[in-house]
Amino acid sequence: GENVEQHPSTLSVQEGDSAVIKCTYSDSASNYFPWYKQELGKRPQLIIDIRSNVGEKKDQRIAVTLNKTAKHFSLHITETQPEDSAVYFCAAIKRPGNQFYFGTGTSLTVIP
Amino acid sequence: DAGVTQSPTHLIKTRGQQVTLRCSPKSGHDTVSWYQQALGQGPQFIFQYYEEEERQRGNFPDRFSGHQFPNYSSELNVNALLLGDSALYLCASSPRGAGWDTEAFFGQGTRLTVV
């Protein structure tokens, strides 16, 4: 099956700086890559996603890049704010289908 | 629309006991997936149900079983609880025909503690 690795496990940045979280996957058939944000005690929520036929997608301060050849994708958060502090999970899925393979998570702390 | 709802929110059980967790999917969703999230880890896929049958299963022992009802709600049962079963159990729902950009919605989870 699919194996998703995520780095770093913890990340601290100053408010206003950028944060980058990286994931690699093993199954070249995976074709959909969402990112979830999980605040303490809350459910994971989708923040951005990317299909395998797209190299980059941006939504305001959040962007995701995908390198299919190298089988890795990254989350970029610019102009970080304290409310960005949370655990972020990447995932890989073979669409159509609903089995999500999650990374181990990155705990992001934005220092005011 | 209440989204995905799970019950109970917290549960304490003794080793060796059995537990049942419940999930009601988001309106319009007929596929339910269950995940185990240990502390500090990403969610691990347990199994997925649609049309009242288990369709896919992750690497979990037979002590973990489930059920889906005609109204698409689902139960997760764990028998002979072990201390290592302590985790947050998440339910996610999505439409059966999950095409591109179909978002899976997560419930808030059930925190199970085995003592």
Side-chain angles (χ1 to χ4, degrees):
Chain A
E2 174 67 277
N3 181 43
V4 177
E5 295 188 356
Q6 183 173 347
H7 300 280
S9 56
T10 59
L11 180 60
S12 291
V13 299
Q14 292 289 332
E15 182 177 359
D17 287 350
S18 295
V20 180
I21 303 170
K22 299 181 180 181
C23 288
T24 60
Y25 61 99
S26 60
D27 189 349
S28 57
S30 291
N31 52 18
Y32 174 65
F33 307 93
W35 285 88
Y36 282 82
K37 176 183 180 182
Q38 188 175 27
E39 296 177 63
L40 192 63
K42 296 190 176 180
R43 72 191 75 198
Q45 292 196 301
L46 179 71
I47 56 171
I48 196 167
D49 54 14
I50 192 167
R51 301 182 186 185
S52 60
N53 61 349
V54 174
E56 184 173 359
K57 183 176 178 181
K58 190 172 181 180
D59 182 5
Q60 299 181 345
R61 296 187 298 108
I62 296 173
V64 57
T65 58
L66 171 66
N67 183 326
K68 274 197 309 182
T69 305
K71 295 205 280 275
H72 67 70
F73 56 112
S74 300
L75 176 71
H76 304 253
I77 306 174
T78 59
E79 300 171 25
T80 53
Q81 301 167 2
E83 51 265 40
D84 294 330
S85 296
V87 178
Y88 291 81
F89 293 99
C90 62
I93 300 100
K94 245 183 296 189
R95 282 271 152 95
N98 279 322
Q99 185 169 348
F100 285 58
Y101 294 91
F102 284 92
T104 49
T106 296
S107 178
L108 173 65
T109 301
V110 179
I111 304 165
Chain B
D1 181 9
V4 180
T5 58
Q6 291 186 243
S7 63
T9 54
H10 294 84
L11 201 53
I12 299 175
K13 288 286 189 178
T14 303
R15 191 171 47 182
Q17 284 189 315
Q18 178 265 344
V19 68
T20 298
L21 311 181
R22 295 177 177 83
C23 172
S24 293
K26 181 178 170 62
S27 178
H29 288 185
D30 56 5
T31 299
V32 174
S33 302
W34 287 92
Y35 293 83
Q36 180 193 66
Q37 186 176 21
L39 199 62
Q41 297 294 314
Q44 298 294 310
F45 177 75
I46 302 174
F47 44 53
Q48 181 179 92
Y49 276 82
Y50 58 85
E51 295 179 353
E52 300 178 48
E53 289 191 21
E54 182 182 299
R55 301 293 179 170
Q56 284 183 301
R57 189 178 183 93
N59 189 25
F60 279 80
D62 292 344
R63 298 187 296 109
F64 290 77
S65 63
H67 189 78
Q68 185 179 37
F69 299 93
N71 66 354
Y72 309 124
S73 66
S74 177
E75 288 182 348
L76 164 65
N77 301 293
V78 187
N79 294 322
L81 285 166
L82 303 173
L83 297 178
D85 295 331
S86 296
L88 179 69
Y89 288 85
L90 292 165
C91 166
S93 76
S94 58
R96 165 68 177 91
W100 293 107
D101 301 335
T102 300
E103 180 179 349
F105 286 84
F106 284 86
Q108 286 197 294
T110 294
R111 173 71 63 187
L112 172 65
T113 303
V114 181
V115 297

PDB file of all heavy atoms in Angstrom, chain B residues 69-93:
ATOM      1  N   PHE B  69     -25.600   0.954   8.565  1.00  0.00           N
ATOM      2  CA  PHE B  69     -27.053   0.808   8.563  1.00  0.00           C
ATOM      3  C   PHE B  69     -27.640   1.408   7.284  1.00  0.00           C
ATOM      4  O   PHE B  69     -26.969   2.170   6.581  1.00  0.00           O
ATOM      5  CB  PHE B  69     -27.630   1.488   9.809  1.00  0.00           C
ATOM      6  CG  PHE B  69     -27.132   0.884  11.089  1.00  0.00           C
ATOM      7  CD1 PHE B  69     -26.020   1.412  11.732  1.00  0.00           C
ATOM      8  CD2 PHE B  69     -27.744  -0.227  11.642  1.00  0.00           C
ATOM      9  CE1 PHE B  69     -25.533   0.849  12.906  1.00  0.00           C
ATOM     10  CE2 PHE B  69     -27.272  -0.791  12.815  1.00  0.00           C
ATOM     11  CZ  PHE B  69     -26.156  -0.264  13.445  1.00  0.00           C
ATOM     12  N   PRO B  70     -28.904   1.066   6.998  1.00  0.00           N
ATOM     13  CA  PRO B  70     -29.527   1.576   5.769  1.00  0.00           C
ATOM     14  C   PRO B  70     -29.541   3.097   5.669  1.00  0.00           C
ATOM     15  O   PRO B  70     -29.598   3.649   4.569  1.00  0.00           O
ATOM     16  CB  PRO B  70     -30.949   1.001   5.831  1.00  0.00           C
ATOM     17  CG  PRO B  70     -30.795  -0.254   6.629  1.00  0.00           C
ATOM     18  CD  PRO B  70     -29.750   0.058   7.663  1.00  0.00           C
ATOM     19  N   ASN B  71     -29.511   3.789   6.818  1.00  0.00           N
ATOM     20  CA  ASN B  71     -29.497   5.267   6.776  1.00  0.00           C
ATOM     21  C   ASN B  71     -28.064   5.800   6.652  1.00  0.00           C
ATOM     22  O   ASN B  71     -27.849   6.999   6.818  1.00  0.00           O
ATOM     23  CB  ASN B  71     -30.174   5.844   8.015  1.00  0.00           C
ATOM     24  CG  ASN B  71     -29.412   5.559   9.296  1.00  0.00           C
ATOM     25  OD1 ASN B  71     -28.421   4.820   9.286  1.00  0.00           O
ATOM     26  ND2 ASN B  71     -29.868   6.133  10.385  1.00  0.00           N
ATOM     27  N   TYR B  72     -27.106   4.925   6.366  1.00  0.00           N
ATOM     28  CA  TYR B  72     -25.688   5.239   6.134  1.00  0.00           C
ATOM     29  C   TYR B  72     -24.881   5.469   7.413  1.00  0.00           C
ATOM     30  O   TYR B  72     -23.654   5.593   7.334  1.00  0.00           O
ATOM     31  CB  TYR B  72     -25.496   6.429   5.182  1.00  0.00           C
ATOM     32  CG  TYR B  72     -26.266   6.322   3.897  1.00  0.00           C
ATOM     33  CD1 TYR B  72     -27.160   7.324   3.500  1.00  0.00           C
ATOM     34  CD2 TYR B  72     -26.141   5.201   3.088  1.00  0.00           C
ATOM     35  CE1 TYR B  72     -27.886   7.213   2.328  1.00  0.00           C
ATOM     36  CE2 TYR B  72     -26.867   5.087   1.911  1.00  0.00           C
ATOM     37  CZ  TYR B  72     -27.737   6.097   1.550  1.00  0.00           C
ATOM     38  OH  TYR B  72     -28.468   5.983   0.387  1.00  0.00           O
ATOM     39  N   SER B  73     -25.546   5.535   8.566  1.00  0.00           N
ATOM     40  CA  SER B  73     -24.773   5.663   9.790  1.00  0.00           C
ATOM     41  C   SER B  73     -23.960   4.393  10.013  1.00  0.00           C
ATOM     42  O   SER B  73     -24.239   3.343   9.407  1.00  0.00           O
ATOM     43  CB  SER B  73     -25.687   5.939  10.980  1.00  0.00           C
ATOM     44  OG  SER B  73     -26.517   4.825  11.232  1.00  0.00           O
ATOM     45  N   SER B  74     -22.978   4.494  10.878  1.00  0.00           N
ATOM     46  CA  SER B  74     -22.049   3.381  11.030  1.00  0.00           C
ATOM     47  C   SER B  74     -21.632   3.208  12.481  1.00  0.00           C
ATOM     48  O   SER B  74     -21.692   4.151  13.280  1.00  0.00           O
ATOM     49  CB  SER B  74     -20.814   3.633  10.165  1.00  0.00           C
ATOM     50  OG  SER B  74     -19.848   2.611  10.317  1.00  0.00           O
ATOM     51  N   GLU B  75     -21.227   2.010  12.803  1.00  0.00           N
ATOM     52  CA  GLU B  75     -20.672   1.694  14.108  1.00  0.00           C
ATOM     53  C   GLU B  75     -19.304   1.052  13.944  1.00  0.00           C
ATOM     54  O   GLU B  75     -19.063   0.311  12.987  1.00  0.00           O
ATOM     55  CB  GLU B  75     -21.574   0.706  14.867  1.00  0.00           C
ATOM     56  CG  GLU B  75     -22.868   1.295  15.363  1.00  0.00           C
ATOM     57  CD  GLU B  75     -23.712   0.286  16.141  1.00  0.00           C
ATOM     58  OE1 GLU B  75     -23.390  -0.927  16.101  1.00  0.00           O
ATOM     59  OE2 GLU B  75     -24.679   0.711  16.775  1.00  0.00           O
ATOM     60  N   LEU B  76     -18.443   1.353  14.897  1.00  0.00           N
ATOM     61  CA  LEU B  76     -17.145   0.692  15.005  1.00  0.00           C
ATOM     62  C   LEU B  76     -17.147  -0.072  16.316  1.00  0.00           C
ATOM     63  O   LEU B  76     -17.427   0.512  17.369  1.00  0.00           O
ATOM     64  CB  LEU B  76     -16.016   1.729  14.990  1.00  0.00           C
ATOM     65  CG  LEU B  76     -14.634   1.267  15.468  1.00  0.00           C
ATOM     66  CD1 LEU B  76     -14.063   0.204  14.531  1.00  0.00           C
ATOM     67  CD2 LEU B  76     -13.671   2.454  15.560  1.00  0.00           C
ATOM     68  N   ASN B  77     -16.868  -1.355  16.265  1.00  0.00           N
ATOM     69  CA  ASN B  77     -16.805  -2.193  17.451  1.00  0.00           C
ATOM     70  C   ASN B  77     -15.374  -2.673  17.658  1.00  0.00           C
ATOM     71  O   ASN B  77     -14.709  -3.075  16.699  1.00  0.00           O
ATOM     72  CB  ASN B  77     -17.713  -3.415  17.299  1.00  0.00           C
ATOM     73  CG  ASN B  77     -19.155  -3.031  17.082  1.00  0.00           C
ATOM     74  OD1 ASN B  77     -19.811  -2.495  17.953  1.00  0.00           O
ATOM     75  ND2 ASN B  77     -19.658  -3.282  15.878  1.00  0.00           N
ATOM     76  N   VAL B  78     -14.933  -2.603  18.892  1.00  0.00           N
ATOM     77  CA  VAL B  78     -13.618  -3.136  19.220  1.00  0.00           C
ATOM     78  C   VAL B  78     -13.795  -4.104  20.386  1.00  0.00           C
ATOM     79  O   VAL B  78     -14.323  -3.731  21.445  1.00  0.00           O
ATOM     80  CB  VAL B  78     -12.614  -2.034  19.610  1.00  0.00           C
ATOM     81  CG1 VAL B  78     -11.216  -2.645  19.777  1.00  0.00           C
ATOM     82  CG2 VAL B  78     -12.586  -0.930  18.561  1.00  0.00           C
ATOM     83  N   ASN B  79     -13.367  -5.337  20.193  1.00  0.00           N
ATOM     84  CA  ASN B  79     -13.466  -6.365  21.227  1.00  0.00           C
ATOM     85  C   ASN B  79     -12.139  -6.530  21.945  1.00  0.00           C
ATOM     86  O   ASN B  79     -11.074  -6.154  21.422  1.00  0.00           O
ATOM     87  CB  ASN B  79     -13.866  -7.703  20.597  1.00  0.00           C
ATOM     88  CG  ASN B  79     -15.263  -7.669  20.015  1.00  0.00           C
ATOM     89  OD1 ASN B  79     -16.167  -7.055  20.583  1.00  0.00           O
ATOM     90  ND2 ASN B  79     -15.441  -8.298  18.870  1.00  0.00           N
ATOM     91  N   ALA B  80     -12.212  -7.124  23.135  1.00  0.00           N
ATOM     92  CA  ALA B  80     -10.998  -7.466  23.889  1.00  0.00           C
ATOM     93  C   ALA B  80     -10.011  -6.310  23.906  1.00  0.00           C
ATOM     94  O   ALA B  80      -8.855  -6.438  23.469  1.00  0.00           O
ATOM     95  CB  ALA B  80     -10.357  -8.721  23.290  1.00  0.00           C
ATOM     96  N   LEU B  81     -10.463  -5.184  24.406  1.00  0.00           N
ATOM     97  CA  LEU B  81      -9.672  -3.953  24.374  1.00  0.00           C
ATOM     98  C   LEU B  81      -8.296  -4.128  25.014  1.00  0.00           C
ATOM     99  O   LEU B  81      -8.145  -4.772  26.068  1.00  0.00           O
ATOM    100  CB  LEU B  81     -10.422  -2.834  25.082  1.00  0.00           C
ATOM    101  CG  LEU B  81     -11.588  -2.231  24.309  1.00  0.00           C
ATOM    102  CD1 LEU B  81     -12.459  -1.375  25.220  1.00  0.00           C
ATOM    103  CD2 LEU B  81     -11.075  -1.417  23.125  1.00  0.00           C
ATOM    104  N   LEU B  82      -7.327  -3.514  24.351  1.00  0.00           N
ATOM    105  CA  LEU B  82      -5.959  -3.470  24.848  1.00  0.00           C
ATOM    106  C   LEU B  82      -5.620  -2.028  25.203  1.00  0.00           C
ATOM    107  O   LEU B  82      -6.237  -1.090  24.688  1.00  0.00           O
ATOM    108  CB  LEU B  82      -4.985  -3.971  23.775  1.00  0.00           C
ATOM    109  CG  LEU B  82      -5.219  -5.369  23.221  1.00  0.00           C
ATOM    110  CD1 LEU B  82      -4.285  -5.633  22.056  1.00  0.00           C
ATOM    111  CD2 LEU B  82      -5.053  -6.418  24.304  1.00  0.00           C
ATOM    112  N   LEU B  83      -4.607  -1.872  26.056  1.00  0.00           N
ATOM    113  CA  LEU B  83      -4.191  -0.524  26.412  1.00  0.00           C
ATOM    114  C   LEU B  83      -3.807   0.278  25.165  1.00  0.00           C
ATOM    115  O   LEU B  83      -4.064   1.480  25.076  1.00  0.00           O
ATOM    116  CB  LEU B  83      -3.007  -0.572  27.382  1.00  0.00           C
ATOM    117  CG  LEU B  83      -3.275  -1.221  28.743  1.00  0.00           C
ATOM    118  CD1 LEU B  83      -2.000  -1.234  29.580  1.00  0.00           C
ATOM    119  CD2 LEU B  83      -4.392  -0.498  29.489  1.00  0.00           C
ATOM    120  N   GLY B  84      -3.229  -0.403  24.182  1.00  0.00           N
ATOM    121  CA  GLY B  84      -2.795   0.241  22.950  1.00  0.00           C
ATOM    122  C   GLY B  84      -3.917   0.699  22.044  1.00  0.00           C
ATOM    123  O   GLY B  84      -3.674   1.376  21.045  1.00  0.00           O
ATOM    124  N   ASP B  85      -5.148   0.347  22.404  1.00  0.00           N
ATOM    125  CA  ASP B  85      -6.295   0.805  21.616  1.00  0.00           C
ATOM    126  C   ASP B  85      -6.707   2.214  22.009  1.00  0.00           C
ATOM    127  O   ASP B  85      -7.578   2.819  21.374  1.00  0.00           O
ATOM    128  CB  ASP B  85      -7.486  -0.143  21.804  1.00  0.00           C
ATOM    129  CG  ASP B  85      -7.219  -1.538  21.251  1.00  0.00           C
ATOM    130  OD1 ASP B  85      -6.432  -1.659  20.286  1.00  0.00           O
ATOM    131  OD2 ASP B  85      -7.801  -2.505  21.793  1.00  0.00           O
ATOM    132  N   SER B  86      -6.101   2.734  23.052  1.00  0.00           N
ATOM    133  CA  SER B  86      -6.396   4.104  23.480  1.00  0.00           C
ATOM    134  C   SER B  86      -5.999   5.067  22.364  1.00  0.00           C
ATOM    135  O   SER B  86      -4.836   5.087  21.927  1.00  0.00           O
ATOM    136  CB  SER B  86      -5.633   4.447  24.754  1.00  0.00           C
ATOM    137  OG  SER B  86      -6.051   3.640  25.837  1.00  0.00           O
ATOM    138  N   ALA B  87      -6.947   5.850  21.904  1.00  0.00           N
ATOM    139  CA  ALA B  87      -6.696   6.742  20.766  1.00  0.00           C
ATOM    140  C   ALA B  87      -7.931   7.586  20.520  1.00  0.00           C
ATOM    141  O   ALA B  87      -8.979   7.383  21.147  1.00  0.00           O
ATOM    142  CB  ALA B  87      -6.367   5.942  19.498  1.00  0.00           C
ATOM    143  N   LEU B  88      -7.782   8.518  19.578  1.00  0.00           N
ATOM    144  CA  LEU B  88      -8.932   9.253  19.057  1.00  0.00           C
ATOM    145  C   LEU B  88      -9.413   8.500  17.820  1.00  0.00           C
ATOM    146  O   LEU B  88      -8.631   8.224  16.909  1.00  0.00           O
ATOM    147  CB  LEU B  88      -8.527  10.679  18.676  1.00  0.00           C
ATOM    148  CG  LEU B  88      -9.624  11.574  18.099  1.00  0.00           C
ATOM    149  CD1 LEU B  88     -10.659  11.917  19.163  1.00  0.00           C
ATOM    150  CD2 LEU B  88      -9.018  12.847  17.517  1.00  0.00           C
ATOM    151  N   TYR B  89     -10.691   8.147  17.800  1.00  0.00           N
ATOM    152  CA  TYR B  89     -11.252   7.438  16.658  1.00  0.00           C
ATOM    153  C   TYR B  89     -12.075   8.423  15.836  1.00  0.00           C
ATOM    154  O   TYR B  89     -13.047   9.009  16.318  1.00  0.00           O
ATOM    155  CB  TYR B  89     -12.091   6.247  17.126  1.00  0.00           C
ATOM    156  CG  TYR B  89     -11.203   5.145  17.655  1.00  0.00           C
ATOM    157  CD1 TYR B  89     -10.761   5.169  18.972  1.00  0.00           C
ATOM    158  CD2 TYR B  89     -10.769   4.107  16.824  1.00  0.00           C
ATOM    159  CE1 TYR B  89      -9.903   4.179  19.454  1.00  0.00           C
ATOM    160  CE2 TYR B  89      -9.923   3.125  17.294  1.00  0.00           C
ATOM    161  CZ  TYR B  89      -9.491   3.169  18.600  1.00  0.00           C
ATOM    162  OH  TYR B  89      -8.632   2.199  19.068  1.00  0.00           O
ATOM    163  N   LEU B  90     -11.662   8.580  14.605  1.00  0.00           N
ATOM    164  CA  LEU B  90     -12.285   9.540  13.706  1.00  0.00           C
ATOM    165  C   LEU B  90     -13.119   8.825  12.653  1.00  0.00           C
ATOM    166  O   LEU B  90     -12.724   7.787  12.135  1.00  0.00           O
ATOM    167  CB  LEU B  90     -11.223  10.381  12.997  1.00  0.00           C
ATOM    168  CG  LEU B  90     -10.415  11.345  13.853  1.00  0.00           C
ATOM    169  CD1 LEU B  90      -9.180  11.817  13.096  1.00  0.00           C
ATOM    170  CD2 LEU B  90     -11.266  12.534  14.260  1.00  0.00           C
ATOM    171  N   CYS B  91     -14.235   9.434  12.348  1.00  0.00           N
ATOM    172  CA  CYS B  91     -15.094   8.952  11.276  1.00  0.00           C
ATOM    173  C   CYS B  91     -15.069  10.009  10.175  1.00  0.00           C
ATOM    174  O   CYS B  91     -15.091  11.212  10.464  1.00  0.00           O
ATOM    175  CB  CYS B  91     -16.501   8.768  11.830  1.00  0.00           C
ATOM    176  SG  CYS B  91     -17.786   8.572  10.605  1.00  0.00           S
ATOM    177  N   ALA B  92     -14.992   9.576   8.931  1.00  0.00           N
ATOM    178  CA  ALA B  92     -15.030  10.506   7.802  1.00  0.00           C
ATOM    179  C   ALA B  92     -16.080  10.027   6.820  1.00  0.00           C
ATOM    180  O   ALA B  92     -16.191   8.825   6.555  1.00  0.00           O
ATOM    181  CB  ALA B  92     -13.670  10.586   7.121  1.00  0.00           C
ATOM    182  N   SER B  93     -16.851  10.957   6.294  1.00  0.00           N
ATOM    183  CA  SER B  93     -17.855  10.565   5.301  1.00  0.00           C
ATOM    184  C   SER B  93     -17.611  11.270   3.987  1.00  0.00           C
ATOM    185  O   SER B  93     -17.013  12.359   3.937  1.00  0.00           O
ATOM    186  CB  SER B  93     -19.268  10.864   5.822  1.00  0.00           C
ATOM    187  OG  SER B  93     -19.563  12.252   5.745  1.00  0.00           O
TER     188      SER B  93
END
